[in-house]
């Protein structure tokens, strides 16, 4: 690709640029963003080659545009680029939810929505900003694309190719499947962890409780150390699927509460043993999947 | 101490023996247990000096008895030793719940209950059995004693001294306080993690869900990899406090569900931000508490 444009050059966008530059998959990287300091820092670090002045200039002749700004800005960014989107340019994003992004893209891009290929890289770090961007953030990680019916296969392949150049493993789901899956395995656990820590923090004897919290509690609540604003936005953006998962979990807890109230040890053990077994199988599957990569002489 | 007796020479009991031997705080360690293989292995590893044949012989002249077998056996073990408990012998335990252990001790020991000092070392590893026992399992870890009103101060001090010799930091709570605290910061999180993994495992598209579960899910559910039998027993043993905490958490989730249903972003963010802030403060407090120890020249 001769030219790519990245909106948001923090951890996600910056790591994408670094990885593509590393393998020589891109000529010029133009950065766009609301913070002049972040833009200047990204330029200084060599993550981007130019700071874009306006969408018209930035998008002129671009092969690919990546939206990696906070998801709440997605609609506004798409609206700002829509008038300047040339036929040969593909747009993709890195948002954690997809149905809402697709709706925003349809609203903002209109007839040009076929040029938008939604995506979600499953990768992250505790830190953020241009300084957090690293060349191997996506190596061996999953990237889920949720193509639109309007997308040309060649355009989807182009986005997939860019992520593969970053070392990622490509998966495809519909936007609806994606949101259901991540509601269950990511968004709900975040909500549950935030809820538990807030519950404990609001008890009158909270200092005593935290004093005895140990490593199990630390791991269980690690995701409650995430950005409240980002997870508020994800919770709202994926509200229907998250509500569905939360209701299923509330039913599960209510059932388990009944077993506990009646001291039904066999029923409690059935739930605990099923969970322990399923998790063990999952861990073994992950470890088996990781083996070929770590044993590969090219790694 | 000239002689101690340990019921159950796995991770908990074996590490206690190893630590006391390391600092020369004990003469003879007698092991008692239901598995001849574990007993033989503990003897082979030098964790114990003798395999006890029966309680009368084992307890004769013992300074301290530690119960480190599964908590469901506590009542039976106490009943077996009660007739042979000499005036100079102190008994303690390592169970994760305390009110039920105290009740079992009162029932089994009768007038001799003053010789029983309940305890709970807050330490563990993923592995178990005599081979898992290590000399420094308790170094820098908390041990909570929940003394009875009948206990002589000197007897409590003797148990505390043994744990201090293992490198542990001693805390004191009432049995009721202990069970409330650990219901909130340990037993409830375990129940929640088991419930989530079982919930997901029972969905028709479970394989798809597990395929996309990532590091956040892995940490959140790590405690669901624990022994189902052990956590069934803990859940039942601490049922009143656990039910209380579960009900508080269900109320919290129901409130959060209402915020989500009405798309009340501000209310959701308030919960998430309070949790993120409280957890951050907790982590900082832990790290500050750990600094002197790691900076100490005696470590």
């Amino acid at each position: 690709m001769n030219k790519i444009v990245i909106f948001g050059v923090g951890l996600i966008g910056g790591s994408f640029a670094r990885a593509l530059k590393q393998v020589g998959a891109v000529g010029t990287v133009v950065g766009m963003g609301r913070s002049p300091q972040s833009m200047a820092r990204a330029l200084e670090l060599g993550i981007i080659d130019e700071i874009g002045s306006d969408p018209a200039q930035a998008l002129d002749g671009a092969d690919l545009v990546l939206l990696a700004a906070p998801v709440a800005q997605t609609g506004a960014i798409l609206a700002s680029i829509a008038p300047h989107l040339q036929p040969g340019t593909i747009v993709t994003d890195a948002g954690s939810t997809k149905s809402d992004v697709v709706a925003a893209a349809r609203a903002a891009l209109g007839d040009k929505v076929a040029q938008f290929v939604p995506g979600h890289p499953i990768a992250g770090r505790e830190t953020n900003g241009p300084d957090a961007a690293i060349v191997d953030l996506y190596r061996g990680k999953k990237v889920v694309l949720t193509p639109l019916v309007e997308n040309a296969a060649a355009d989807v392949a182009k986005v997939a190719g860019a992520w593969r150049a970053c070392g990622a493993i490509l998966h495809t789901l519909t936007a609806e499947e994606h949101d259901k899956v991540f509601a269950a395995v990511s968004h709900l656990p975040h909500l549950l962890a935030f809820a538990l820590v807030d519950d404990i923090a609001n008890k009158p004897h909270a200092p005593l409780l935290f004093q005895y919290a140990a490593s199990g509690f630390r791991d269980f609540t690690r995701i409650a150390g995430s950005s409240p604003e980002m997870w508020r936005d994800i919770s709202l953006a994926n509200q229907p699927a998250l509500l569905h998962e939360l209701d299923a979990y509330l039913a599960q807890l209510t059932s388990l509460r009944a077993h506990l109230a009646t001291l039904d040890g066999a029923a409690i053990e059935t739930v605990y043993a099923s969970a322990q077994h399923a998790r063990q199988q999952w861990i073994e599957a992950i470890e088996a999947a990781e083996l070929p990569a770590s044993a590969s002489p090219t790694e």
Side-chain angles (χ1 to χ4, degrees), chain A residues 15-39:
Chain A
S15 296
F16 183 74
R18 279 202 183 283
L20 291 179
K21 279 174 169 278
Q22 167 94 350
V23 296
V26 65
T28 301
V29 178
V30 180
M32 294 281 288
R34 294 193 304 184
S35 158
Q37 293 91 332
S38 288
M39 289 295 118

Side-chain angles (χ1 to χ4, degrees), chain A residues 218-284:
Chain A
R218 191 173 185 152
D219 285 353
F220 184 81
T221 62
R222 186 176 68 76
I223 50 183
S226 309
S227 159
E229 299 79 15
M230 177 179 155
W231 283 93
R232 174 204 60 199
D233 289 346
I234 289 173
S235 300
L236 295 174
N238 201 20
Q239 187 241 29
L242 181 54
L243 265 186
H244 181 80
E245 293 304 328
L246 177 55
D247 285 343
Y249 186 71
L250 280 166
Q252 163 86 337
L253 279 191
T254 303
S255 157
L256 201 44
R257 189 206 180 281
H259 299 324
L260 188 61
T262 56
L263 295 169
D264 187 346
I268 293 170
E269 187 182 348
T270 298
V271 172
Y272 289 7
S274 150
Q276 194 253 6
H277 177 71
R279 188 175 188 281
Q280 184 59 34
Q281 287 199 309
W282 173 62
I283 294 288
E284 282 166 13

Side-chain angles (χ1 to χ4, degrees), chain A residues 39-98:
Chain A
M39 289 295 118
R41 183 63 182 151
L43 191 64
E44 186 183 2
L45 290 168
I47 294 172
I48 59 175
D49 303 298
E50 290 175 24
I51 299 173
S53 53
D54 67 89
Q57 169 266 335
L59 264 78
D60 185 40
D63 295 289
L64 184 69
V65 178
L66 172 70
L67 273 54
V71 281
Q73 297 173 33
T74 303
I77 294 171
L78 287 170
S80 77
I81 66 175
H84 315 290
L85 195 54
Q86 295 166 357
T89 306
I90 310 302
V91 184
T92 188
D93 81 309
S96 302
T97 54
K98 297 272 65 79

Side-chain angles (χ1 to χ4, degrees), chain A residues 128-216:
Chain A
N128 219 318
D131 286 282
I134 51 176
V135 72
D136 59 353
L137 181 67
Y138 303 113
R139 181 152 300 281
K141 297 297 193 307
K142 294 186 181 73
V143 170
V144 181
L145 299 183
T146 65
L148 309 178
V149 289
E150 294 92 337
N151 291 151
D155 291 347
V156 176
K158 191 171 175 180
V159 174
W163 283 114
R164 277 201 195 93
C166 299
I169 299 157
L170 272 289
H171 289 246
T172 303
L173 294 172
T174 67
E176 194 185 21
E177 283 170 342
H178 170 281
D179 288 355
K180 282 185 183 177
V181 165
F182 288 91
V185 301
S186 172
H187 308 169
L188 178 63
H190 276 79
L191 182 150
L192 299 179
F194 281 125
L196 182 71
V197 179
D198 180 59
D199 180 34
I200 288 176
N202 285 321
K203 290 180 195 281
H205 55 311
L208 182 71
L209 297 176
F210 280 119
Q211 191 182 345
Y212 292 101
S215 62

